[in-house]
Amino acid sequence: MSQIKYYILAFCILFTSVLIAQDNDIEDIDVINLRIDNTIIQSEFDIKRGDYFNAKENLEEALALAKKSNNRKSQGIIYSKIGELEFTINEFDKSLASLIKAAEIQRDIEDNQNLAVTYSIKGALHAGKEEYNDALGYLNSAKTLFKENDLDVKIPEITLNEGKVHLKLNDYKTAKSLFEKTIVLAKKNNQSHTLSKALIYNSKALSKLGNSEQAISSALEGLEVAQSNNQIDNIDEAYLSLSAIYENNKDYKQAHNYLQKHSRISDSILTLERAVISPGQGQTDYIEAFNAEEFKKLKKQVEKQESDSNLAKITTILSIALITILSLLTLALYKNNNIRLKSNNMLQEKNDDLIEAMKRAELASKTKANFLSTVTHELRTPLYAVTGLTNMLLEEEPNEKQIPHLKSLKFSGDYLLTFINDILQINKIEANKVELDPVLFNLKTKVENVCSALNNSALDNNTKMHYSYQSDLPQTFIGDNLKISQILINLIGNSIKFTKDGDIWVRVYSIANNGNDHTLRFEIEDNGIGISKEKQDNMFESFSQGSIQINRKYGGTGLGLSIVKGLIEILKGKIYLKSELGKGTTFFFEIPLTYAPETVKIEKEDYTKNISKLDINNIKILIVEDNKINQMITKKILNKMNLQCDIVDNGEAAVEKVKENNYNVVLMDIHMPGISGLEATKIIRTFDKELTIFALTAVTLEDKMHEFDEAGFDDIISKPFKQEDFEKKLYEVLSSNQNSLASH
């Protein structure tokens, strides 16, 4: 049925063109452009059904029309499509000539979006010709242009091809890094074909680096994705990769098993190979030549494995099977093409719907990220002033009547900062941007400290806390203790909030272990107000607190449990809830942790004292900040450390100050009138590449971090910052500078 629709569409296009030609001796430009678009669409139909000869004829017809109407943009696009088609059918020299023409036109008219596409094809072409340096150059240019034109969805294919080139160059570490980056980006953009291919090629790099276990795992994951999406080419690639890995491990039985699987789908692969498939003797000649070449490759692999694993009988049977399959392929090819055409048309309709949905989702995601970036920046900037001034006033011996008010102000500022951080953390969890930071820590002490810190709040509610830790359970583990603390604080804090005149039990014990690897269960039980059955299903959703009355009575944002669930999933754990209205609630969560013996503790450094030991008279710091209150706060923090500083309120003045003075550190705000902190830093880097420049900013979304790196910042200090972190970064830079001068 889809074929009939296609031919009806083609007939309509042709009939319309004839009528127009009869009515007008000289066609209107708009009509010619319409014919160009229709002819390109016709060629795309031909490509999808494997009719490459007709596809090229249609593209050449479209090119003639584009030249007739002097449509330079269409000429560039068509030359690029012709070059890609010629590359597909292995006409490398013709492909290169077409792509060069496309690039010349696109550069001339500054059609950078389509130029990026042309460069990406040229990169793949040079890689196919084993001209790897040229390949990397064009792929990098394509990637830059895609980024500049907000076409991030195109980046995964580029990084994948870059990884393939580095694999060919035996630079396995770089290849692995690029494949891993592709995997992350492909998952983010829901690009299953690229994801599968990246996982499979990553297995090749891992195998070359000697990590066979991870290589097999990556190949199997890529195979699973390919099978789930019926990606025949990637399934075949996965089989070959697994065969090579097992052969390298001298597991010849498994190697031969996967090679067998490859041979079983070779007939399907051949229908999708780069071939000029059209009726006549040319088709038959091509198939016979291809089959002979493919059979030689397979026979060579099988003979090698036969000598290694003594599988001569199986190999003989496999060879006969291959000959039979390849002989039957020619007869089945026409029927396969018809079936594939119908399937492709059906898939195209589904793909169009999927692409549209992905575009809407991507737009919504970008809108959300931009909204959060703007709102949190606008909130953090005044919050920096609130928290900074409050801390200063508390340190300046206020009178007793002022202390309660200042503490209330500090509490409000801390609460607002926590709320902002919760929103950002949920956004990071949803975007898969939360990273693990495993360290050695004492679990028993950690839970005790959390319980101790929250005990006063429990006592305020006349509630007793009870803590039990399994007696024979080790105390020191490797894990992300900060995330575990955050989970416990949220869950225990919830229990305290909803329990008056009652009890809370915190229990930690092991439910399974394999050597040093434990699965630990944490229980937080209370006899508070409980949660109704109908509300329990939604408790882990953002802004969910059971009811409006509960929100008004007990306060809070309703973000805690959503964060808890996200963090536990990141830790590869699970969380459960058991509750009965009026009788209390129990939260259980289970996470894997690895036991490790305790090491020597390092005392916390006093960086303020360390800074005072430096030659502070020769230290000069520049503060670039347009907010007067923030200027005062940052200056006071530096003066407290006996450090002197200059202040300017815009980027232009900062550039001039750096030219006129020798500063040790520049604290650069980002959002300012005139040129931004990013632009000012880029200008400074043109004449001073050694100066230490910190971005002192309220921007926190990780999506922006690459902009800071490209501008030339040495580090980022988020406002409002922890004073200890600020002092540590300053000390490390200043001490390093003085040591460097002393050595010279």
Side-chain angles (χ1 to χ4, degrees):
M1 193 67 191
S2 57
Q3 277 184 298
I4 294 170
K5 289 181 179 177
Y6 162 70
Y7 288 119
I8 290 171
L9 174 62
F11 176 76
C12 289
I13 293 168
L14 180 63
F15 185 68
T16 304
S17 301
V18 171
L19 286 177
I20 292 169
Q22 287 176 342
D23 289 340
N24 301 281
D25 292 333
I26 301 174
E27 292 177 298
D28 183 83
I29 293 296
D30 291 337
V31 173
I32 295 176
N33 289 337
L34 179 61
R35 287 183 62 195
I36 291 170
D37 293 340
N38 289 338
T39 311
I40 291 173
I41 291 169
Q42 171 89 37
S43 72
E44 289 170 353
F45 276 124
D46 291 334
I47 290 170
K48 281 170 187 160
R49 64 190 184 121
D51 191 351
Y52 298 128
F53 279 133
N54 277 339
K56 191 170 184 182
E57 285 180 3
N58 281 311
L59 286 172
E60 287 171 348
E61 181 184 340
L63 180 61
L65 290 169
K67 288 179 177 178
K68 181 179 179 181
S69 63
N70 197 28
N71 187 334
R72 301 268 286 160
K73 183 174 182 179
S74 291
Q75 288 176 40
I77 292 170
I78 296 165
Y79 271 124
S80 185
K81 286 183 178 291
I82 291 173
E84 184 176 19
L85 179 58
E86 289 166 336
F87 171 51
T88 302
I89 59 178
N90 296 328
E91 294 180 351
F92 288 170
D93 291 339
K94 289 182 179 179
S95 173
L96 183 59
S98 298
L99 293 171
I100 288 171
K101 289 177 184 176
E104 286 175 354
I105 294 169
Q106 287 159 349
R107 280 195 298 267
D108 187 43
I109 64 173
E110 297 183 357
D111 183 9
N112 290 328
Q113 289 190 16
N114 288 308
L115 179 61
V117 175
T118 301
Y119 280 162
S120 67
I121 300 167
K122 281 194 80 174
L125 171 64
H126 283 291
K129 295 176 71 176
E130 299 184 359
E131 297 167 351
Y132 298 125
N133 288 333
D134 289 339
L136 290 173
Y138 280 110
L139 289 171
N140 187 56
S141 297
K143 184 163 60 176
T144 301
L145 287 172
F146 282 138
K147 286 180 179 178
E148 288 175 356
N149 289 277
D150 295 326
L151 293 171
D152 292 344
V153 72
K154 301 281 190 180
I155 301 298
E157 190 66 31
I158 300 296
T159 53
L160 174 65
N161 285 330
E162 286 177 327
K164 288 182 184 179
V165 172
H166 283 285
L167 197 63
K168 290 285 187 182
L169 292 170
N170 301 328
D171 185 0
Y172 303 123
K173 286 185 178 179
T174 304
K176 173 177 169 288
S177 175
L178 285 162
F179 292 139
E180 287 172 347
K181 183 177 181 181
T182 304
I183 290 165
V184 172
L185 293 173
K187 284 181 179 178
K188 179 181 176 183
N189 292 306
N190 294 319
Q191 296 169 330
S192 63
H193 194 274
T194 302
L195 172 61
S196 172
K197 199 169 283 292
L199 285 163
I200 294 163
Y201 274 91
N202 193 39
S203 74
K204 298 175 191 285
L206 287 164
S207 178
K208 292 293 185 181
L209 291 168
N211 197 333
S212 299
E213 190 175 335
Q214 283 191 24
I216 291 169
S217 175
S218 184
L220 288 172
E221 188 180 350
L223 176 60
E224 184 181 352
V225 174
Q227 289 173 332
S228 299
N229 294 277
N230 196 29
Q231 299 161 1
I232 302 297
D233 56 335
N234 285 347
I235 294 172
D236 180 65
E237 191 69 49
Y239 286 156
L240 287 174
S241 183
L242 284 162
S243 177
I245 295 166
Y246 279 116
E247 184 178 355
N248 190 49
N249 290 349
K250 303 193 186 314
D251 186 345
Y252 301 115
K253 185 176 180 181
Q254 282 281 50
H256 192 277
N257 177 41
Y258 280 109
L259 189 60
Q260 260 189 320
K261 290 183 177 182
H262 159 69
S263 69
R264 286 172 188 158
I265 63 167
S266 61
D267 58 335
S268 299
I269 292 294
L270 287 173
T271 64
L272 299 172
E273 281 291 337
R274 297 168 183 165
V276 183
I277 303 175
S278 61
Q281 183 61 37
Q283 174 180 318
T284 307
D285 293 343
Y286 171 80
I287 292 168
E288 289 176 356
F290 185 93
N291 289 351
E293 183 63 28
E294 191 67 12
F295 178 70
K296 284 179 185 177
K297 291 179 184 176
L298 288 169
K299 184 178 178 183
K300 189 176 180 181
Q301 290 184 54
V302 173
E303 287 175 349
K304 185 177 185 301
Q305 291 185 0
E306 179 185 1
S307 63
D308 290 333
S309 60
N310 199 22
L311 295 172
K313 290 183 179 179
I314 298 174
T315 307
T316 304
I317 294 168
L318 177 62
S319 300
I320 294 168
L322 281 171
I323 293 168
T324 305
I325 290 168
L326 294 170
S327 300
L328 291 171
L329 178 63
T330 305
L331 297 174
L333 196 55
Y334 179 73
K335 186 178 287 186
N336 285 345
N337 276 340
N338 285 340
I339 293 169
R340 186 160 58 86
L341 175 60
K342 292 176 182 178
S343 299
N344 282 343
N345 288 339
M346 292 171 65
L347 286 171
Q348 182 62 37
E349 292 174 6
K350 291 181 179 179
N351 283 342
D352 290 342
D353 293 339
L354 180 60
I355 290 167
E356 187 61 33
M358 286 170 61
K359 285 180 179 177
R360 289 197 297 269
E362 185 179 358
L363 179 61
S365 178
K366 283 185 178 179
T367 304
K368 177 183 174 184
N370 290 334
F371 171 76
L372 284 173
S373 178
T374 303
V375 170
T376 53
H377 178 268
E378 294 304 319
L379 288 172
R380 279 175 172 269
T381 300
L383 191 57
Y384 174 57
V386 172
T387 55
L389 287 171
T390 305
N391 286 328
M392 284 181 189
L393 291 170
L394 284 168
E395 290 172 0
E396 292 176 357
E397 300 180 2
N399 63 50
E400 290 185 7
K401 290 182 180 179
Q402 292 173 326
I403 290 174
H405 301 307
L406 290 171
K407 285 186 175 179
S408 295
L409 183 61
K410 186 177 187 302
F411 173 81
S412 298
D414 290 341
Y415 176 84
L416 183 55
L417 181 59
T418 301
F419 178 57
I420 293 169
N421 289 338
D422 283 350
I423 293 174
L424 291 171
Q425 186 153 30
I426 286 175
N427 191 58
K428 287 198 288 184
I429 289 170
E430 290 175 352
N432 296 318
K433 291 182 179 178
V434 177
E435 296 180 357
L436 290 175
D437 184 20
V439 295
L440 176 65
F441 73 104
N442 189 304
L443 177 63
K444 184 179 181 184
T445 303
K446 174 63 66 176
V447 182
E448 283 175 351
N449 289 343
V450 171
C451 292
S452 176
L454 297 173
N455 191 49
N456 286 336
S457 298
L459 292 175
D460 289 342
N461 282 356
N462 196 29
T463 296
K464 291 182 181 179
M465 290 186 65
H466 312 273
Y467 170 48
S468 64
Y469 189 92
Q470 182 178 321
S471 58
D472 60 344
L473 181 65
Q475 296 185 15
T476 53
F477 292 88
I478 295 287
D480 195 324
N481 67 323
L482 293 177
K483 290 182 178 59
I484 293 170
S485 296
Q486 190 173 0
I487 293 165
L488 289 168
I489 289 168
N490 267 298
L491 293 177
I492 297 172
N494 253 15
S495 290
I496 292 170
K497 187 190 296 184
F498 299 113
T499 306
K500 306 279 187 184
D501 305 316
D503 295 272
I504 295 171
W505 295 268
V506 180
R507 307 181 188 95
V508 182
Y509 55 93
S510 176
I511 59 172
N513 74 289
N514 181 12
N516 291 333
D517 296 325
H518 291 257
T519 300
L520 301 185
R521 174 175 283 180
F522 297 75
E523 290 184 11
I524 295 89
E525 180 184 357
D526 66 63
N527 52 13
I529 64 172
I531 306 166
S532 65
K533 293 287 184 186
E534 59 269 20
K535 298 295 183 184
Q536 289 180 26
D537 292 339
N538 301 320
M539 286 310 296
F540 293 104
E541 295 180 4
S542 300
F543 302 102
S544 176
Q545 287 190 306
S547 70
I548 296 172
Q549 290 76 16
I550 287 174
N551 182 42
R552 288 175 178 170
K553 183 175 181 180
Y554 294 97
T557 62
L559 297 173
L561 290 179
S562 177
I563 292 170
V564 163
K565 184 182 180 185
L567 292 177
I568 289 172
E569 287 174 351
I570 289 165
L571 295 172
K572 299 182 179 177
K574 298 176 181 177
I575 186 167
Y576 311 93
L577 164 66
K578 183 177 75 176
S579 185
E580 189 173 344
L581 200 61
K583 293 187 178 181
T585 302
T586 304
F587 284 97
F588 312 83
F589 70 92
E590 299 164 2
I591 56 172
L593 286 175
T594 302
Y595 163 72
E598 192 166 12
T599 56
V600 178
K601 293 181 180 178
I602 300 172
E603 289 188 10
K604 191 176 177 181
E605 287 195 64
D606 185 344
Y607 291 104
T608 303
K609 189 182 291 183
N610 290 341
I611 288 173
S612 67
K613 294 176 184 177
L614 299 173
D615 183 8
I616 57 177
N617 293 325
N618 294 322
I619 293 173
K620 291 185 71 176
I621 296 173
L622 177 65
I623 299 171
V624 188
E625 168 69 69
D626 64 312
N627 186 293
K628 299 298 181 185
I629 297 174
N630 291 349
Q631 287 177 4
M632 179 189 70
I633 293 168
T634 308
K635 182 179 180 181
K636 282 205 169 191
I637 292 170
L638 293 173
N639 290 162
K640 190 179 175 184
M641 293 184 279
N642 295 317
L643 295 172
Q644 301 304 310
C645 60
D646 294 335
I647 299 174
V648 293
D649 60 7
N650 62 79
E652 292 92 338
V655 173
E656 294 305 314
K657 276 282 188 182
V658 171
K659 286 180 179 178
E660 296 167 1
N661 299 275
N662 292 320
Y663 291 107
N664 300 86
V665 178
V666 175
L667 302 174
M668 181 80 72
D669 188 31
I670 299 302
H671 296 288
M672 296 181 291
I675 65 171
S676 68
L678 286 168
E679 292 301 318
T681 302
K682 287 178 183 177
I683 295 169
I684 291 171
R685 287 302 182 216
T686 62
F687 61 85
D688 191 337
K689 300 193 184 305
E690 303 300 323
L691 175 62
T692 299
I693 306 177
F694 288 151
L696 193 61
T697 176
V699 174
T700 56
L701 286 180
E702 276 72 6
D703 304 78
K704 302 287 184 183
M705 294 307 170
H706 71 280
E707 294 182 13
F708 296 118
D709 291 336
E710 291 171 0
F713 286 101
D714 293 280
D715 207 339
I716 300 164
I717 301 173
S718 295
K719 295 187 292 190
F721 52 77
K722 290 183 180 178
Q723 193 157 327
E724 180 188 342
D725 294 340
F726 181 58
E727 291 170 357
K728 179 183 178 183
K729 288 184 178 182
L730 271 181
Y731 172 71
E732 287 173 348
V733 170
L734 296 175
S735 61
S736 174
N737 288 350
Q738 293 203 352
N739 290 336
S740 177
L741 288 171
S743 65
H744 286 79

